[in-house]
Amino acid sequence: MSVPILECVDVHAAYGRIEVLRGVDLKVPRGAVVALLGPNGGGKSTLLKVISGQMEKTSGHVHMAGVNVHGASADDLARLGLTTIPEGRSVFPNLTVEENLLLMSYAGVAPDKVFDTAYSYFPRLHERRYQLAGTMSGGEQQMLAMARALTSDPALLLLDELSMGLAPLIVDELYETVAKIAESGVSILCVEQFARTALRVSDYAAVMTGGRVVATGEPNEINEIMADVILGGAA
Amino acid sequence: MGAFLSYTVIGIFTGAAYAIAASGLVLTYSTTRVFNIAHGAVGMVFAFLYWDFSVKQGLPVWLSLILVLGVCAPLTGVFIQRVITRGLGNAPVGASLVVTVAMTVMLIGIARQIWPPDARSLEQYFPDHLIHMGSVIVTWQQIITVVVSILVAAGLYVLLSRTRIGTAMRASVDNPDLLHLYGGRSDIVAALAWAVGTSLAALGGILLAPVIGLQYFDLTLLVISAYAAAMLGKLTNLPLTYVGAMGLGLGQSYIVGYLQYIPGHDKLTGLPAVMPALFLFAILVLLPQAPLRIGQVKGLVSAPVPTLGRSAVFGGGLIVVVILMAAGMADSDLLLVGTAATYGIVMLSLVLLTGYGGFVSLAQFTFAGVGAVAYAKLDQPNLFGLLVAVLISAAVGALVALPVLRLTGLYLALATMAFGLLMDKVVFTSSWAFEFNNPLNAKRLSIFGTHVNSIGNYTIMMTVFFVLISLVVVAVRRGPLGRILIATRDSQAACGTLGLDIRWVRVALFASSAGVAGLAGALLAGLRGTIVSNDFIFFNSLLLLVCVAIWGVTSVSGAAMGAIFLMLLNYLPGFLGKNESTQGLLFILLGAGAILIGRNPNGLMFWVFKIPSWIQGGLFPVLADRFPGMALKVRDFAGGDRDDEVIGEPGGAHAHRDEEEVDSDAVAAR
Amino acid sequence: MPLLHVDDVVVQFGGVTAVNHAQFEVEEGTITGLIGPNGAGKTTCFNVITGLQTPTSGKVLLDGRDITRMPVHRRSRRGIGRTFQRLEAFGSLTVADNVRTALDIHDGFSGIFRSANADIEHLLDRVGIAGYAQERADSVPTGVARLLELARALACDPRLLLLDEPSSGLDESETEAFGDLLKELASEGRTVLMVEHDMDLVMAVCDAIHVLDFGSIIAQGTPAEIRANKLVQKAYLGYADEADAADETKVMSL
């Protein structure tokens, strides 16, 4: 078996006295899409913060492509091929669409190529290229955020709650993009509250509650237990 | 008509120079969220440096310009960003105010030390070539300044809108963390912003120095104009900043030109000088309300609060010491002790306002001045007169806070600064206060008919006042008011939802703090017998703030130590004008001290308060090990050690608890 | 007449609509749940009701009186209390002093000469955190801090209590005790509106539930009705296929 693109071994992290991650073990095989599901407060977003270098872990190891990344800063990792789309609208609201795209070239792809890829994939962004990102609709903003995943040619893509606050059809569109990125061979770890939506595009799924991964498996196995996990045993 | 055009030309020139300086301020503030109070002082130092290169050392003008604007200023900017202001953008606004005020003091000290007071002048460019446009005469200096300001505007436009790093600068305003995820390096962005911003400050200083003169304070206070202009653009919008600068330059020029036609103009001679301050105040008043911020828990404060009993013991001790000193000291030295008590009381007013309330005032000494003038003018040297003077100061304090009721932190501090300058230039010099710097006479206080005449007794009385007010401040801190003050600092939103109208708390706090400062001023007036407006100049407020920041603004002990410290400095030859040659050095030391320590509001007292727990927790066990026979009581300090833990929730963007706080339990447990 | 009426409230942040014509009522003396997926606009609704956020359009009525423009502190005086999702405890004060401060603010001058110790003890005991009374509020666990916020809100004797994710950070037995406390508060005649993710708790204590999705109310009813509601399941779990999603978007745009 080849070395996984991402491997977390017994990762612990805490906000002060409160431990949020209590020994997370998780693997993302090269080229696979892994959905990370679970209720709020389960530690999903915190795990992504640790992996992306935004938060320090208290113990454990994170390996990327077999290399132990310890103490690497978020911007170092970003330039080395890790693209993170954080929760919420991860665009700069007071910059125009084009300026947002320009900044995406920091990840290492030439600006012209960034523009080409983004506009050919999302023509809507081309129409709005001189508009301030903050004045666009939520869906359009998320499109712009996804453009970074498309254009930065990452080795590993981390997606956090892509669908938050968006209408179902738009969520659908966004996940088509995710599927397309996956086809190009990018490994993806996506955190999602809408289990069914995420499971449609994923190869594997993991469920986190209480700061641990409590179940892993194929999408259909996980799908069956999700209603219980989210809406409570009675649902 | 010709006159009007002339004034317009001068106005455009001044506005252009303001715009250059203001755009540098906007650049640094908007990328790093550190408002640089010292922006004007930076420009002043580089104007002196330019003079040194071009006049004193006789280098060619072009080389001097390149050396100053292209090498020294940018490097200084990077140094400031990397070393002095690093990380202040996320700290409470008070910390960045204190640090940049300290930097102002330090820079003025540096300038005085390297270039002692002397007659110096920078010549205008091409002074002999005047251009006649009809009836209007335009100098090359004016044309160059306007052209340079246009070039600066164009350059900034290209930088910010046409380059990636410029775009990243604007992005880091919104969300520096996201910029990291994009792969951008916010430290490089910040360093560049400070390099450019510092160069622009230097450029503004160099262009205005020939007109204003190479003066430490005048050039430093130029920054007020930059603040005012920048404020029109809410500190982030460059085009509006240029509009503001032009409006201010023109307005100031017309006022200078047409003041003589205004009735009663002879009483308004200070008006042109305070135009920027007035302008700043007006814009602050018109700013829209800032919404209450939510989503942040933090605990700060936590210098240990002594019990009233303990404080009384310490206070009694202090009084005894002063009584002993009064018996053996010369009058001139006692005067210094009395002055220290004044400083101490003003510092107590800052403990109340800044330490407990979290608001920074940059004009606390001005309130003392109000109290002094009121006391002297009332000519009622008794407790009644003192009370009225205090009430007048309190009312003035409330008046400053009222119009800017809706504002917070930085804006409120700038409002106090504008107020301080206004009082300096207009009110204190007007006929109903000091009358053009003439001394004002005040009588010694009498208490219930007993005159306190000798300097010794008066000094003792002032110490008693200091102790009494300390006790009141401690009582306030321990009582419901103190808790409410701390609660408003920790979470304004929660206070609001509990039914507290925070705006009135703020006014009351400003009023009481100004009242305490006014008391200090009134007592000082009685001590000195004569006072002049220079005793209360704006700069003294900054010095005082720096001093109290070094010792800790969160505790009464910090104020006491700060006052004693200032008094001891008085003994050094050369403080406050006695000996010009070392004054600069003192400013440098004070400024550097506050830069090092001022980030922690608990100041040096933080370390002092730690000593007992260190002795008991660290030293006692060691001693007990070495000398088992010693009857040392080793106490378990596991629960009392400082802990840096941060509370938070998964995924929540929690503010971190200040790491450097004193654990009150550790000391209280003694 | 309902105690609280949120009438056609819209909140926009730039191009994003956080609350989209939300419309719901809360009856006096009930426990009402406001649920929905992340980002549905629940906390924004709370901010509008308490006055921390001015709505773009729409009204908030308390007892039939329009309070949309009323400042925060005056709403509190009219009996609205709340807790926060992102904690807003007074971190530099002890747990007991947090409550003491709330009592001071609530009582004003009349409280100066009264010892509040018994009240504080009672309030802390009531929410079950008396053991933490002397600890600093920024050093207690999240769950305790949430209960502290509840105690602090109760100190102002509110008629309407807004609780934002009160049970997160509590373990199972603590959650159960908390559920009992909520019922007790309702039986005193207080009205509770709560945003909560623990569905077991919501289903167990709520008299009525409103489901918020994309800033609009998509379902209202009793716990049993909500649990059976397909829309709600979809809102929480997402959509199994595209046709499903398309249907849903049609329904919503109606």
Side-chain angles (χ1 to χ4, degrees), chain B residues 144-383:
Chain B
I144 288 173
T145 304
V146 173
V147 169
V148 166
S149 80
I150 293 169
L151 288 177
V152 165
L156 285 177
Y157 174 77
V158 170
L159 173 67
L160 292 175
S161 306
R162 291 279 178 268
T163 66
R164 190 172 71 170
I165 187 129
T167 311
M169 279 183 187
R170 287 189 293 140
S172 70
V173 181
D174 287 339
N175 193 342
D177 293 335
L178 186 59
L179 188 63
H180 284 145
L181 291 181
Y182 272 58
R185 297 175 195 221
S186 58
D187 48 345
I188 291 182
V189 168
L192 179 67
W194 277 83
V196 176
T198 307
S199 275
L200 289 175
L203 185 57
I206 290 171
L207 287 171
L208 278 169
V211 185
I212 293 181
L214 273 173
Q215 305 290 336
Y216 314 116
F217 293 104
D218 291 352
L219 277 172
T220 298
L221 290 181
L222 199 68
V223 79
I224 297 290
S225 316
Y227 297 160
M231 204 55 77
L232 190 70
K234 278 193 162 177
L235 297 176
T236 47
N237 185 325
L238 277 173
L240 272 181
T241 301
Y242 265 74
V243 171
M246 278 300 158
L248 182 57
L250 285 171
Q252 209 174 351
S253 169
Y254 293 143
I255 293 268
V256 172
Y258 295 108
L259 187 68
Q260 50 183 312
Y261 302 112
I262 300 172
H265 61 87
D266 50 326
K267 287 182 183 140
L268 294 171
T269 45
L271 191 62
V274 292
M275 268 291 289
L278 277 175
F279 194 81
L280 175 62
F281 205 76
I283 292 174
L284 286 171
V285 168
L286 295 175
L287 273 181
Q289 164 131 38
L292 290 181
R293 280 183 307 169
I294 43 177
Q296 43 165 16
V297 192
K298 51 175 188 268
L300 285 167
V301 201
S302 294
V305 188
T307 59
L308 273 179
R310 270 181 79 88
S311 316
V313 170
F314 270 108
L318 186 65
I319 293 170
V320 169
V321 169
V322 173
I323 289 174
L324 292 176
M325 282 163 82
M329 271 169 119
D331 276 4
S332 62
D333 290 337
L334 276 172
L335 210 57
L336 290 179
V337 178
T339 312
T342 311
Y343 294 146
I345 297 173
V346 179
M347 286 177 183
L348 284 176
S349 78
L350 279 174
V351 168
L352 202 59
L353 184 71
T354 312
Y356 297 167
F359 297 107
V360 175
S361 159
L362 300 176
Q364 210 59 10
F365 232 78
T366 308
F367 294 118
V370 172
V373 172
Y375 177 79
K377 288 274 167 188
L378 274 168
D379 204 19
Q380 288 267 352
N382 49 39
L383 285 182

Side-chain angles (χ1 to χ4, degrees), chain A residues 18 35 39 43 52 81 83 130 135 177 187 197 231:
Chain A
I18 300 130
S52 63
T83 295
Y130 300 128
T135 62
T177 314
S187 319
T197 314
L231 280 179

Side-chain angles (χ1 to χ4, degrees), chain A residues 59-125:
Chain A
S59 68
H61 301 281
V62 176
H63 299 272
M64 281 186 200
V67 181
N68 190 347
V69 283
H70 182 72
S73 69
D75 54 316
D76 285 339
L77 289 171
R79 286 189 297 273
L80 291 172
L82 173 73
T83 295
T84 311
I85 313 273
E87 197 178 8
R89 316 269 170 259
S90 70
V91 298
F92 296 104
N94 294 323
L95 301 185
T96 65
V97 169
E98 192 147 300
E99 286 168 341
N100 268 283
L101 292 171
L102 177 65
L103 291 181
M104 292 175 191
S105 66
Y106 268 116
V109 179
D112 287 337
K113 220 178 149 218
V114 171
F115 294 142
D116 282 350
T117 319
Y119 292 150
S120 62
Y121 200 86
F122 296 117
R124 190 111 60 105
L125 292 182

Side-chain angles (χ1 to χ4, degrees), chain B residues 361-607:
Chain B
S361 159
L362 300 176
Q364 210 59 10
F365 232 78
T366 308
F367 294 118
V370 172
V373 172
Y375 177 79
K377 288 274 167 188
L378 274 168
D379 204 19
Q380 288 267 352
N382 49 39
L383 285 182
F384 171 73
L386 194 65
L387 179 69
V388 174
V390 167
L391 289 180
I392 289 175
S393 313
V396 172
L399 270 179
V400 177
L402 264 175
V404 287
L405 204 62
R406 304 157 301 124
L407 302 177
T408 50
L410 174 63
Y411 299 127
L412 208 54
L414 287 180
T416 60
M417 188 174 196
F419 163 76
L421 281 171
L422 219 62
M423 296 297 283
D424 246 21
K425 299 268 154 100
V426 179
V427 178
F428 285 165
T429 55
S430 73
S431 53
W432 35 277
F434 289 105
E435 290 186 50
F436 302 110
N437 251 345
N438 282 342
L440 198 60
N441 294 315
K443 296 199 184 76
R444 293 257 153 93
L445 192 67
S446 70
I447 296 174
F448 303 122
T450 316
H451 278 273
V452 185
N453 268 330
S454 79
I455 286 194
N457 287 345
Y458 201 87
T459 305
I460 293 168
M461 181 200 74
M462 287 184 77
T463 313
V464 171
F465 266 105
F466 173 81
V467 169
L468 284 179
I469 292 166
S470 299
L471 292 179
V472 170
V473 169
V474 169
V476 162
R477 169 63 182 83
R478 296 186 69 84
L481 283 175
R483 276 197 307 274
I484 287 176
L485 281 181
I486 285 164
T488 45
R489 258 184 54 167
D490 280 358
S491 169
Q492 302 202 349
C495 283
T497 56
L498 291 172
L500 187 72
D501 191 349
I502 296 147
R503 300 171 305 170
W504 292 106
V505 173
R506 198 176 298 158
V507 172
L509 182 63
F510 253 89
S512 17
S513 159
V516 171
L519 174 75
L523 289 175
L524 181 71
L527 174 74
R528 291 257 175 96
T530 56
I531 43 169
V532 293
S533 66
N534 257 349
D535 292 335
F536 305 102
I537 53 167
F538 170 69
F539 185 69
N540 281 354
S541 299
L542 299 189
L543 269 185
L544 200 85
L545 181 67
V546 163
C547 229
V548 77
I550 289 176
W551 284 97
V553 75
T554 53
S555 58
V556 168
S557 345
M561 289 305 294
I564 294 168
F565 177 63
L566 258 183
M567 185 190 74
L568 291 178
L569 286 183
N570 270 315
Y571 272 107
L572 295 175
F575 189 64
L576 289 182
K578 264 201 223 159
N579 181 347
E580 294 285 352
S581 66
T582 51
Q583 190 177 23
L585 205 60
L586 262 168
F587 286 180
I588 296 173
L589 285 177
L590 279 178
I595 287 170
L596 285 174
I597 302 159
R599 279 175 190 240
N600 180 351
N602 297 318
L604 275 181
M605 293 317 285
F606 167 70
W607 305 104

